[in-house]
Every structure is written in structure tokens, then in C-alpha cells.
Amino acid sequence: MRTKLQLALLLAAAMGLVATLLTVLVGTRSAAVASFDFRQLAVGGLVAGAVFIAALIVWHMASVARKEARKAKTESQHLRRNLAAADAIIRAEPQVLIFWEQGQAVRIVSHTLTGIPGLPDQHAEILRFGQWLEVPSADTLKAALDKLFTNGRSFNIILKTIAGGTLEAEGRAAGGRAVLRFKDVSTYKAQIARIDEQHDALARDIRSSRALLETLPMPVWLRDTAGRLVWVNSAYVKAVEADSELEVLERQIELLETRQRRQIAKTVASGDSYKSRVHLIAGGQRKPHDIVILPVDGMTAGAAVDVTDIETAQGELDRQVAAYDRTLDRVETAVAIFDRDQKLVFHNTAFANLWSLDPDWLATRPTDSDILDRLREIGALPPVVSHRDWKVQVLATSRTGTPLEDVWHLTDSRIVKVIAEQRADGGVTYLFSDETDRIALESRYNAFIDVQRETLDALKEGVAVFGTDGRLKLFNRAFCDIWQIPPRKLNELPHIGEIIAAVQSLFPDAGTWLRIGRAVTAFQDERETFSGQMDRTDHFVIDYALMPLPDGATLLTFADVTDAKRAERALVERNEALIAADRLKTNFIGHISYELRTPLNTIIGFSDMLASPIFGALNAKQREYLADIMSSSKTLLAIIDDILDLTTIEAGGLELKLAPAGVRAIIDAAILGIRERAVRSRLTIDIAVADDVTEIMVDEARMRQVLYNLLSNAVGFSKVNGTVRLACWRENGMINFRVEDDGIGIPKDQIGRVFQRFESRSRGSEHRGAGLGLSIAKSLVELHGGTIEITSEEGRGTRVMVRIPEEPIAQTTDGAAGGSGGSTERLAGGSRAA
């Protein structure tokens, strides 16, 4: 400032001097006396003075400039020393320093931080935060930088690298500049970082746990050390009918009763968890709940699990077990169930009756070994050499799990089949079935079969039966004689193809044999019945007939009609041969009927005589056996009558005797036949007949037979204490009969076979017949010009509809027979409300 003042004074003096000289020159310009030399001298002096002054000014300014240069050099050296010191200070601390200045590119001032896993070494890579920082850390850093650039807000955060390193990021702003510094965290900050991580992890666990508990359908709650509710889930809020969790916590709304809470407090106070099943009012309904209370660091966590469904299922299981026990108690097979300790846990009445054991003693739950010892004491067991070894063998099922199946021949001549099988719980189930009557019946059946075989062997007609696999199942001597085949070869049960190959030389018509072979082996819904005649190469003439049997087998008959063919010619011989074949068939049926009916009538007659008191008194067991003989004989006689009816219908020999008949009388007669069975099964027979139905034009006996067969099936397949309904009404020129029951029903896949002959299935009931009743009923209904149809649902019952024209036109028996196709007694009837 002083130098500038001096320069200004010199400049002012010079300018004053110049001005004075100019004034003098001007003032003297008009003087004439001034001379030329004087003016020159003045000008020269003036110029010299100006030059001198200018030189002084220049010298002064140069001096000032030298002083300023020395001063600037000194200041520059000072600044460089300060910059070097600042750089040394910055580089002395391990850090990464990033600098932003407005209008300039970002600069990384320092990068001396090492030993941090995942921290890039290259400056360009450091600025790509998302590539080396974890996603949450990178997002947090970017958000903090945005606030730093926008609002100048400083920050200090802990970041984690992808490689697992930890570092501190600090951001500051000054004017238009921003600085970001990365530093290694110190020990206490590392601990803080770990604590933060643990806190975040615990917070996540708590949030996830509470979110999970929130979704549970069961009430869940937490109590503090003072016993106050501090958290409940939505199910708890709903259970106590509150509006929100806040309301529950403010009002301390309790789900448990006071008495229950006191009991829980006593248990929890001892440090034990509490578990119990109580009834709570939840959602306005009182339901059973399993309460679980767990003590946790002075606090308690509780939950209430709704077990209504479990108790309902348990009750249903108990009811099913009781029903199962009641069912077993009604079966004829003796049943005894032992637990894993070999103690008796269940036995039915048949078991006690079979072995004549004291029910009170059985109620003490004896072991299976004790029961065998008791049976040995009373002499009921079969005689054995070593009772001990025999008992070990019988009781091995409970130890080894090997099923037992044996037959005991008791000392009282009874034959008992024993089956033992291990249960899933380690116990054993024993089944004792009295096979005495079955074996006796089987023996009689085998004798009956032998009679049939002898009857077939006595026939002149060759008979051969082939199974569904095309192999020979049955033949007689006439078949061997007609085709000249040794019985030894036929005893090997050859295939139909082998038989055709053996006899084709006698009758080389390949077309006929092909048709017979296909009919025997084919699986067709409608199997054909055909017949024909064979003129053999040895001049014998054989009539043959092929008929499918109800069980899928095929019957082939061959009749030697050579003599008849020789006596007749052309068509006459053929017609007479057919008549003779028909006559042979009729004789065969009649002979079979006689051979079967005569022994049965004899058996029935002798049974009646034995039952008469005049031949002596019988004991109870004898009367029981005699009743079984009479019942079985009558049943067999009824089956034979049914077979004859079917044969007569099929042969076209059945003629209906149509006449007006009372509907009530027909129904009452049919009901009379099944009344005794209905009473035994405690069934209700519901009869509904429309007022306008009084008479019907039918064969009364055959119509009664139809209704009896339908009602018999309905009674046989009805449940105990069930109802069988019979209804009759008039509709569209037809008299309708409907028989309904609520029994076991028929599976859908078997309804189509119920009208087939010999189709008999018990389906779990005690009713079992020969399978002819429905086939006969169908044939008789069709002979009256009516229709019959059946609908059923398994487990719900069966309905049979019969429609008879008010003025029926009797059909030919051939048509009826062709439509019947067999029958079954599996069917139960259905129901109609009057």
C-alpha cells in the first residue's frame, strides 16, 4: 500500500511539473521579445525532466516488483510444505479417500487401506460399489451418498463386502465438495458390528417366529415375568372375541379361567411345563383344547390346540370298534383276540359256546396258555402225545409271527379249523370254525357228484365239457366210444385243439371244427348255441350240439344217429335224426331229474319219519342235524325244480294258464313263503297296493313264484331290523310291482349279471342260493309279455320293477328262455311308499 502511495506522489509531481512548463510556454507565447534559443532550452529541460521522472518511476516499480516476487516465492514454498504435510498426514492413516467437487470428475485421493477381504485394489473398481459390497450394504451406501449430495447430510455406517470383510464408511460435505472415506473398523466398532448383526438376526428370528405363530389357527400367547399378556396372535384375538391385539393387551382379556390359570401357575412355578386337556369357550363355543405352557427365562409361552376333531375321531373309532365287536359277536365263527401280553381282550359268544367256557372266568382276561390248559382239563382238546410241545407249537404265532392254520379233531367228534394270525400291535387273533357240518355236506356233495358222474357214464350220448381255457374238464365213456379216443389220453385233460386234431381224420370238415374250436375258446358277450350233423368217413353219422354254460364253460354233446340215418333218406332222415336227438335230450333231462329227485324224496321221507315221535325220541343235537338235513334236502329239491323250470322254459314246454287272479291273494301267498325268514331277521314287510288294482290276468302260480323269488332275495340281503317294501299300482296299461330293500346292494359292475343262471354271490350276507331265482323270474315275466328291471346302489339297497300288461299276450317259451341268460340270488328288493 505504501509503494502504491509513493508511485502516486511521483506521478503527481511529474504531472505538476509538466503543467507548469506548459503554462510558462503559453504565457510567453505572445511575447515578441522571447528568443528562439530560450524556447529550445526550455523544451529540452522539460523533456529531460520528464525523462528523469519516468526513469524514477520505472526504477521504483522494478523495486516493488522484485519485492513482490520474493514474497510470492516465500508463500509458494510455505504452501508446498503445508501440502506435503497434509498429504503425509492423509497417507499416514490406512483409508480410502474419495473426493467430489462440483464441475470436476470424482477423484480417489488416497488408497492406503489393505487387509480388508473383498476391497478392490484398482481405483476404477472401488467406485463400482455393487460389485464388491453385499447388496444390503451397497444399497445403504448409495442411499446415504444421495442424501449427502442432495442435502449435505453426513453419515457414518458399517459396510460388509461380498468376501466377508467389514469396513467403516464416513461421508462429509463442505460447500460444493463431498468426501467419502473408507476405514477399517476398530475393535469396539467390530464388536458393535457383530452385535448389530446378532441383533438383526434375532430381530429377524422374532419377526419370523411371530409371523409363523400369527398364521397358526390355534391361540398362542406370551406373558411377562409379572404374568401379564405381552403378545397374542390373531387366533387368540378371535377366540376371546376381541377387536384387536391392542384391546386384548390393554384389557388383559384372558382365554383361560381363573381356576385353570392358578393350576398352571403352580406347575410353572416349579420350573415344569404344563400340559392338560381342558374345555374352553373359544369363539363363542365350548370346545376341548390341549393346553401347553412352557416357562422361558421367567416368561411363559402358551398355546391352546383345538382337539375337537381328534375327540370326534376317537369317538367314531370307539363306535366303530364297538360295532365291530357287536358284529363279531353275531358271527358263527368263534373269535378270540389276545394282546401283546397274550391276555384275552375280546371274545365273542360263539367262542364261549364252542368251548363251553365260563363267561365270568373269561372276563378275568386269562392268557392263551391258560385257556389251552383249561380246555385240556375239561377234555375238549384233541388227544396229543405231549401237550406241552403241542401247546408251544400252537402259541408260536405270538412269538415268531408265523400264521397258524390247523384242524383239530375234538374228542366229541367235532372238527374245528383253527387259524391264528399276529396283529399289528403284537397281539394274536384266533379264529375257530366248526367244520363238522361243512365236511359232512361236502361228503354228501361228493357222493352226489359221483352219482352224477355215474349217470353221465350211463348215457349213450357223448358228453364233453370244456373250461374257459379250452381244456377238457368232464367227459363220459360214450364220448370216448364215439370218437375212438382212449380214456387215458382224455384223463390228461387235453386242449380242444388237440382233440380236434385227433378226430379230424374221421370228419375232415375244417369249417365245422373251426367253428366249434372258436366257440369253446372265444370270449364273447353273447355266446352262440348251435348244433349240426357230421357224416364221418367211417359211415357213422353223429349229431352234435354246442351249448355255453353259465360259468363260462362249454358243453359239447355227440349222439350216434347212424342207424336212424340209414333207416331214412335225405330230409326225412335228417328230420328224424333231429327228433331223435331232441328225444335223447329230453330223456337225459328226465333221467337226471328222476335220479336226483328220487334220492332227495327218499331222504326227505326218512327225515320226516325220524322226526316223528313214534320212532323214538331224539336228543337236541340229533334234532338239529335232522333239521339241517331236511332244510338242505328241501333247498336242493327247490334248486332241482328251478333247473327243471328253466329247462322246460328253454325247451319251449312251459305253458301259462292265464286266468283272472286276485292281486292281494298272490301277494299274500308270496309273503307267506318268506315270513319265517323275515321274522328271524327281524324285518318289517311294508305292503302298499293301490285301490284300483284288484285282479290281474296272469298264471297265478307263476306270478306267485315271481314275487316269492324277488321277496326271497330282498329278505336274504337285507340288514337286521331292516324293511322290505312291496308296492303294486296301475300305470299306462300296465300293472306294476316294485320290491325294494335297504340292504347291502349290488356293485355297478355286477348288475348286468344278476339275471344270469347260477350267478350267486353272498356279498357278506348269510344268504346264498343256486342263482336261479332271478333268471326264472325274468323268464316268467317275459312269458307274460312283461318286463323286469333292476337298479341298485352298493350299501344303499336294491329296487326291482316288474311290469305286466293288464291283458298280457303270452310269449313263446323259446323267446323267454333266450332272454333270461341265467340268474342270481344276490339281489335284494327295493321300496315304494303307498
Side-chain angles (χ1 to χ4, degrees):
M1 186 68 183
R2 183 178 178 183
T3 303
K4 293 179 179 180
L5 180 60
Q6 291 175 354
L7 289 175
L9 291 175
L10 289 175
L11 181 60
M15 291 179 66
L17 179 59
V18 172
T20 303
L21 291 176
L22 289 175
T23 304
V24 172
L25 289 175
V26 173
T28 59
R29 186 176 180 181
S30 59
V33 290
S35 65
F36 174 76
D37 293 336
F38 179 76
R39 289 194 299 270
Q40 290 180 344
L41 181 59
V43 171
L46 181 62
V47 171
V51 170
F52 176 76
I53 293 172
L56 289 175
I57 292 172
V58 171
W59 176 81
H60 181 74
M61 291 179 66
S63 178
V64 171
R66 284 193 299 270
K67 291 180 180 179
E68 291 293 334
R70 286 193 299 271
K71 183 178 180 181
K73 183 177 180 180
T74 302
E75 291 179 353
S76 175
Q77 292 175 351
H78 179 70
L79 290 175
R80 287 177 181 175
R81 286 193 297 271
N82 291 340
L83 181 60
D87 184 71
I89 293 172
I90 291 173
R91 294 183 181 277
E93 183 179 1
Q95 64 179 345
V96 177
L97 190 63
I98 305 174
F99 180 76
W100 285 272
E101 186 173 2
Q102 188 173 4
Q104 295 184 10
V106 61
R107 288 182 296 167
I108 298 178
V109 178
S110 174
H111 187 345
T112 58
L113 184 60
T114 59
I116 305 298
L119 180 65
D121 295 330
Q122 302 298 325
H123 290 184
E125 295 179 358
I126 291 179
L127 298 176
R128 301 187 182 99
F129 304 126
Q131 296 182 2
W132 57 277
L133 288 176
E134 290 185 350
V135 175
S137 297
D139 295 340
T140 303
L141 178 60
K142 291 178 181 179
L145 288 174
D146 291 340
K147 294 179 181 179
L148 177 65
F149 296 150
T150 304
N151 304 323
R153 182 179 299 177
S154 301
F155 63 85
N156 188 293
I157 56 178
I158 303 298
L159 304 177
K160 294 193 67 175
T161 66
I162 295 176
T166 305
L167 51 85
E168 178 184 3
E170 181 181 6
R172 294 289 184 269
R177 301 176 183 85
V179 178
L180 173 62
R181 179 182 298 171
F182 292 126
K183 298 188 298 182
D184 189 6
V185 294
S186 58
T187 303
Y188 80 94
K189 288 188 177 181
Q191 294 176 354
I192 292 175
R194 287 193 295 270
I195 293 173
D196 288 340
E197 291 179 3
Q198 295 174 359
H199 176 269
D200 293 339
L202 292 175
R204 286 194 301 271
D205 291 343
I206 293 174
R207 288 193 298 271
S208 59
S209 299
R210 291 196 175 184
L212 177 61
L213 295 176
E214 185 70 21
T215 60
L216 294 178
M218 66 185 70
V220 180
W221 63 91
L222 297 177
R223 296 181 185 274
D224 59 12
T225 55
R228 291 179 57 83
L229 293 171
V230 295
W231 181 84
V232 295
N233 66 348
S234 299
Y236 186 100
V237 176
K238 183 178 180 181
V240 299
E241 299 182 352
D243 294 333
S244 64
E245 178 186 354
L246 182 61
E247 180 184 0
V248 174
L249 299 180
E250 289 180 350
R251 296 173 53 192
Q252 290 293 301
I253 303 176
E254 294 288 351
L255 177 64
L256 302 176
E257 299 176 357
T258 303
R259 175 179 54 83
Q260 297 168 346
R261 295 199 303 273
R262 290 175 180 172
Q263 184 177 1
I264 293 172
K266 292 180 181 179
T267 304
V268 174
S270 63
D272 298 330
S273 60
Y274 176 85
K275 294 181 180 179
S276 178
R277 179 168 294 183
V278 298
H279 284 76
L280 300 177
I281 299 177
Q285 297 181 355
R286 188 173 182 83
K287 299 179 180 178
H289 288 74
D290 280 346
I291 303 299
V292 180
I293 307 295
L294 300 176
V296 182
D297 296 335
M299 301 180 64
T300 57
V305 182
D306 188 352
V307 294
T308 304
D309 294 338
I310 297 177
E311 287 202 346
T312 302
Q314 184 64 42
E316 182 64 24
L317 178 61
D318 294 340
R319 286 191 293 272
Q320 290 181 1
V321 170
Y324 173 74
D325 292 345
R326 290 195 300 271
T327 301
L328 290 180
D329 203 44
R330 294 179 180 274
V331 300
E332 295 182 358
T333 301
V335 180
I337 300 177
F338 297 84
D339 60 13
R340 62 187 306 166
D341 297 328
Q342 301 181 9
K343 291 186 176 181
L344 182 66
V345 295
F346 173 81
H347 70 281
N348 61 355
T349 305
F351 178 79
N353 295 337
L354 176 66
W355 301 112
S356 301
L357 294 174
D358 184 10
D360 294 334
W361 181 76
L362 292 175
T364 62
R365 299 183 62 188
T367 64
D368 47 6
S369 178
D370 295 337
I371 292 177
L372 291 179
D373 292 339
R374 176 64 64 88
L375 293 178
R376 184 193 181 193
E377 292 175 3
I378 63 178
L381 293 178
V384 294
V385 176
S386 174
H387 176 73
R388 181 177 181 180
D389 295 340
W390 177 82
K391 185 172 70 172
V392 170
Q393 182 180 359
V394 172
L395 302 180
T397 303
S398 60
R399 184 180 67 258
T400 64
T402 304
L404 170 68
E405 186 169 349
D406 196 6
V407 177
W408 295 353
H409 295 270
L410 305 183
T411 55
D412 57 359
S413 301
R414 287 184 299 170
I415 301 174
V416 176
K417 183 177 182 181
V418 182
I419 298 176
E421 187 170 350
Q422 192 173 44
R423 292 153 45 91
D425 58 357
V428 180
T429 299
Y430 289 88
L431 302 178
F432 303 90
S433 176
D434 190 348
E435 300 288 317
T436 308
D437 295 339
R438 185 190 66 80
I439 293 176
L441 289 175
E442 184 176 351
S443 177
R444 290 195 295 269
Y445 172 78
N446 291 333
F448 177 71
I449 292 299
D450 292 339
V451 172
Q452 282 187 326
R453 185 176 296 278
E454 291 297 329
T455 302
L456 289 176
D457 284 339
L459 295 176
K460 294 181 180 180
E461 195 174 40
V463 176
V465 177
F466 294 89
T468 55
D469 57 354
R471 290 191 171 274
L472 185 66
K473 300 297 182 184
L474 180 67
F475 64 94
N476 62 354
R477 284 194 294 267
F479 180 78
C480 300
D481 297 338
I482 289 174
W483 291 108
Q484 303 173 11
I485 303 176
R488 176 181 52 81
K489 183 175 181 179
L490 294 181
N491 286 331
E492 297 176 359
L493 305 180
H495 192 269
I496 181 64
E498 299 176 27
I499 295 178
I500 291 175
V503 302
Q504 197 166 11
S505 59
L506 295 175
F507 182 68
D509 187 352
T512 301
W513 289 120
L514 180 61
R515 185 181 183 189
I516 292 175
R518 287 180 176 176
V520 170
T521 58
F523 293 93
Q524 299 177 354
D525 294 337
E526 296 183 1
R527 302 169 62 194
E528 60 176 338
T529 299
F530 60 88
S531 59
Q533 194 172 79
M534 299 178 178
D535 291 326
R536 298 195 331 195
T537 57
D538 57 357
H539 305 295
F540 280 87
V541 179
I542 306 298
D543 279 346
Y544 69 91
L546 184 142
M547 178 183 299
L549 298 179
D551 60 351
T554 304
L555 173 66
L556 268 176
T557 60
F558 299 93
D560 186 355
V561 294
T562 306
D563 296 337
K565 288 296 293 181
R566 290 173 181 175
E568 299 293 337
R569 294 187 182 206
L571 186 58
V572 175
E573 293 179 351
R574 179 179 177 86
N575 290 338
E576 289 184 356
L578 292 175
I579 293 172
D582 185 70
R583 185 182 300 110
L584 288 174
K585 182 178 180 181
T586 303
N587 292 337
F588 169 74
I589 296 173
H591 184 68
I592 290 297
S593 173
Y594 174 77
E595 292 294 335
L596 296 179
R597 291 171 64 90
T598 300
L600 283 176
N601 288 329
T602 302
I603 293 173
I604 294 173
F606 282 128
S607 299
D608 292 336
M609 293 174 63
L610 290 175
S612 177
I614 63 177
F615 289 95
L618 301 177
N619 58 35
K621 184 59 68 173
Q622 289 173 336
R623 286 195 300 273
E624 180 182 352
Y625 290 162
L626 188 59
D628 290 341
I629 292 173
M630 295 176 66
S631 175
S632 300
S633 300
K634 290 180 180 179
T635 301
L636 186 57
L637 183 61
I639 293 173
I640 294 173
D641 290 338
D642 288 342
I643 294 175
L644 290 176
D645 285 343
L646 283 175
T647 306
T648 304
I649 293 172
E650 184 176 357
L654 181 63
E655 296 182 359
L656 297 179
K657 299 177 182 179
L658 299 179
V663 174
R664 281 285 185 179
I666 295 174
I667 293 176
D668 292 342
I671 293 295
L672 184 61
I674 54 92
R675 185 182 302 278
E676 182 178 353
R677 291 172 55 199
V679 171
R680 288 200 305 267
S681 299
R682 299 193 296 277
L683 299 178
T684 301
I685 308 299
D686 185 3
I687 304 173
V689 180
D691 294 336
D692 59 344
V693 180
T694 56
E695 289 188 349
I696 183 172
M697 183 65 71
V698 293
D699 186 327
E700 183 175 356
R702 296 302 181 181
M703 196 64 206
R704 183 171 61 250
Q705 184 179 3
V706 170
L707 294 182
Y708 169 77
N709 289 343
L710 299 182
L711 289 170
S712 178
N713 281 332
V715 170
F717 293 102
S718 291
K719 301 175 183 177
V720 178
N721 297 322
T723 301
V724 175
R725 291 172 284 277
L726 171 61
C728 179
W729 72 97
R730 187 191 310 273
E731 184 179 6
N732 298 329
M734 306 289 284
I735 302 298
N736 300 312
F737 294 89
R738 183 166 64 190
V739 179
E740 289 182 298
D741 69 77
D742 51 4
I744 60 178
I746 305 173
K748 293 182 179 179
D749 59 342
Q750 298 178 10
I751 290 180
R753 300 198 301 268
V754 297
F755 289 113
Q756 295 179 4
R757 284 174 291 180
F758 304 106
E759 180 68 23
S760 177
R761 299 177 185 270
S762 63
R763 310 207 183 283
S765 71
E766 298 181 356
H767 181 69
R768 181 87 182 200
L772 298 173
L774 285 179
S775 178
I776 293 174
K778 184 175 186 294
S779 299
L780 293 176
V781 169
E782 291 177 348
L783 283 175
H784 284 85
T787 61
I788 183 172
E789 62 182 25
I790 181 172
T791 57
S792 180
E793 183 177 351
E794 190 172 6
R796 301 290 296 275
T798 307
R799 171 186 297 176
V800 181
M801 285 289 302
V802 175
R803 296 180 176 87
I804 304 296
E806 294 185 18
E807 297 181 0
I809 301 176
Q811 298 181 352
T812 62
T813 54
D814 291 339
S820 64
S823 81
T824 176
E825 288 190 357
R826 153 69 193 83
L827 184 64
S831 160
R832 175 183 184 268

